[in-house]
Amino acid sequence: ASRGVYASKMNTAGTWYKQHDPEGYDYNNGCVKIPVDTSKWMSFMGMKKFQICRNDRVQVKLAGGSTVSGIVMKGSRKNEFDIKLDNGSIQKKVADTNIISENYCSYETLSGYRSALNQAYQDAGNILMDRNLQAEMKQLLNGYQREVCSLKAEGKMDAQEGKMPLTFLAFRMLAFAALGIGFIFSASPDSGGVVPNVLWYAHVYLILQWNLMVRTSNVSDANYQHIWWEDDHLKILTPKQKNDQSGVRAYPKSVYANPLDPIICPLLSLGLWVIACTSFRRDENHSRLFEGAFCDDKFGEWLSGVLVTLSPSQMATLALDIKDIGTHSIRKGVASFLSNIPGGASMVAIFLRVGWSLGNVPQRYIFAGEGGDNLVGRLACGLNMSKTTFLVLPPHFKTDFCLD
């Protein structure tokens, strides 16, 4: 996942270099030439202090040199954006270099370009980064860190960086939205709505990410070979995570049914998805749960699209600003939800389920096991541990009807 982020940042740098420093761009390999020129790279990082996000008001530079105002509708992996201008027309695939934004990015976003460049140098082989470049990047980032603090104090930047966690009620409302219940969607993606045929896909994706407590890329890679039944629940294995690339600490997570609340029941959602997608059923050629490329991006686009359709009452349930919500809000939300249940699962069990580090010593001696993860699984699916129904069994056939 980190390499993917670094590659995206270097692609952004490449787009800038092609326009501002063609000699610093390797057209044969489609990337920035390594080593980079210090002054050019610092000019690029200075420009990247400003970010472009969906629903932001920006200025678009036209061919004649004039500028027009508009709202960012959506972006792409190629750092191109669709802009809805104030006159009602839509400019498609506008390069980020032709967009003027006054929205400051977070310190972590800007420092990510330094990390991406370090990775590019490592990939290039025996090429050492110039010490002056290292010193200037450090000076720029230290200064920007202080600038961010000042901007927050002046109210020019949000005090809270990153995506905010979803509440359980907001998660449940999105589950309704993923089934189209109480929501009216446009059939045209360009209008900011949601294409109806992706709704069920979004539902099972949302439910799995909440219950597995993983990054969206891990849900995208879900495989039939990693799903099986054990006793009264499903076991789903995530072979590796961002901070466990070798999969040493990977373990099968317990996923339970919630027959008391079918709208968020992971077994019902997953079962209907498997039955409905007959062409994607498991065989030697189709082992992935979600077929196709960029499944995580498709889910992210659905989430962004559905948020703009919310009514005032639904926004009140959400209790968050649209720009503060992303796919990572789901993972943050379920972890926060479980951590605040009185007498609920232990923090260690939650940390292990999410994949967060416990620290050097505990990481070597404490591993996930039965009991702790089972409790987390029941709580995550929405069962109330203060009621006797917390131990409810999944829908099943009576023994009398079972075939030998």
Side-chain angles (χ1 to χ4, degrees), residues 45-46 48-51 102-112 139-162:
M45 285 195 65
K48 290 309 294 181
K49 290 196 300 183
F50 300 97
Q51 62 181 350
E102 295 183 356
N103 297 314
Y104 290 88
C105 71
S106 67
Y107 168 80
E108 286 74 16
T109 299
L110 188 62
S111 65
Q139 183 178 3
L140 172 68
L141 291 172
N142 287 342
Y144 188 64
Q145 194 169 32
R146 292 189 293 270
E147 184 179 0
V148 166
C149 291
S150 299
L151 291 169
K152 289 181 178 179
E154 296 168 5
K156 296 180 180 179
M157 279 187 72
D158 292 337
Q160 180 70 41
E161 291 186 2

Side-chain angles (χ1 to χ4, degrees), residues 163-172 174 206 209-211 213-214 320 324-341 350 354 356 379-380:
K163 300 303 181 182
M164 298 294 290
L166 282 181
T167 64
F168 179 76
L169 289 178
F171 158 68
R172 196 169 182 277
L174 288 178
L206 169 70
Q209 186 176 3
W210 177 275
N211 281 270
M213 302 169 65
V214 293
L320 291 172
D324 294 327
I325 302 173
T327 56
H328 209 54
S329 299
I330 301 168
R331 188 164 178 254
K332 286 184 177 181
V334 62
S336 301
F337 168 68
L338 296 178
S339 301
N340 288 284
I341 296 178
I350 295 172
V354 181
W356 291 331
L379 291 170

Side-chain angles (χ1 to χ4, degrees), residues 74-145:
K74 64 178 181 179
S76 71
R77 286 176 172 260
K78 296 181 179 180
N79 301 304
E80 297 173 336
F81 298 83
D82 291 352
I83 312 293
K84 185 175 183 180
L85 303 181
D86 291 345
N87 61 13
S89 63
I90 297 177
Q91 288 275 350
K92 289 185 173 292
K93 297 183 178 180
V94 180
D96 61 347
T97 52
N98 292 324
I99 299 175
I100 303 172
S101 172
E102 295 183 356
N103 297 314
Y104 290 88
C105 71
S106 67
Y107 168 80
E108 286 74 16
T109 299
L110 188 62
S111 65
Y113 286 97
R114 176 173 63 177
S115 301
L117 184 62
N118 287 331
Q119 185 64 55
Y121 268 81
Q122 292 180 24
D123 294 341
N126 298 323
I127 301 179
L128 296 178
M129 185 181 296
D130 183 70
R131 290 187 177 181
N132 290 333
L133 175 57
Q134 296 180 30
E136 289 196 30
M137 283 196 294
K138 182 178 180 181
Q139 183 178 3
L140 172 68
L141 291 172
N142 287 342
Y144 188 64
Q145 194 169 32

